[in-house]
Amino acid sequence: MFIDYTSVELIAGHGGKGAVHFRREKFIPKGGPDGGDGGRGGHIIFTADTNLHTLQDVRYRKRYQAEKGGPGGGSRKTGKNGTDINVLVPVGTIIREKGAKDIIADLSHDKDQITVVKGGIGGKGNAFFKSATNRSPRKHQTGELGVEMWVWLRLK
């Protein structure tokens, strides 16, 4: 069956939260903060492919949700980044936000790519907030939320 238009929901991954952790070692009496940053959330990327001729694969999967970023850890370890989702569409696909008339992208050539929704940035750990006056901060940032939107896909 030839399908030339559809709508899908896109949800980018949320960023991971930063860690609150303090370094403790035997011969270092006042260790200090060493909480790591959170990882970034996954993006959703659309790629044009000449081997596809219809939007049938996209139509039957209405929701694309990228992975969340991992939380930070001790010893200034950064959290894991969320994996990106790559959606293959046929050449000549127009991407438009649902409810708006503006065109987000026109994928008219083979291997054209566009990141439609971006994942959230990971939060900072308590090692980021240390200073000369605040030597043991007990605060951290939560990660940013990923972007959510509905888009229309139409084949020229």
Side-chain angles (χ1 to χ4, degrees), residues 52-78:
L52 297 174
H53 303 292
T54 179
L55 292 170
Q56 184 173 3
D57 297 335
V58 179
R59 183 173 193 162
Y60 294 115
R61 183 175 172 194
K62 290 286 189 182
R63 185 177 189 178
Y64 290 91
Q65 185 170 4
E67 189 179 36
K68 297 177 183 177
S75 302
R76 297 187 186 189
K77 292 179 185 167
T78 303

Side-chain angles (χ1 to χ4, degrees), residues 6 10 12 15 25 28 41 47 53 58 62 65 68 73 80 82 92 101 104 112-113 122 127 152:
T6 186
L10 306 176
E25 292 184 26
I28 301 174
T47 305
H53 303 292
V58 179
K62 290 286 189 182
Q65 185 170 4
K68 297 177 183 177
K80 179 185 169 208
K101 299 210 179 229
I104 296 172
D112 279 351
Q113 282 191 341
W152 280 104

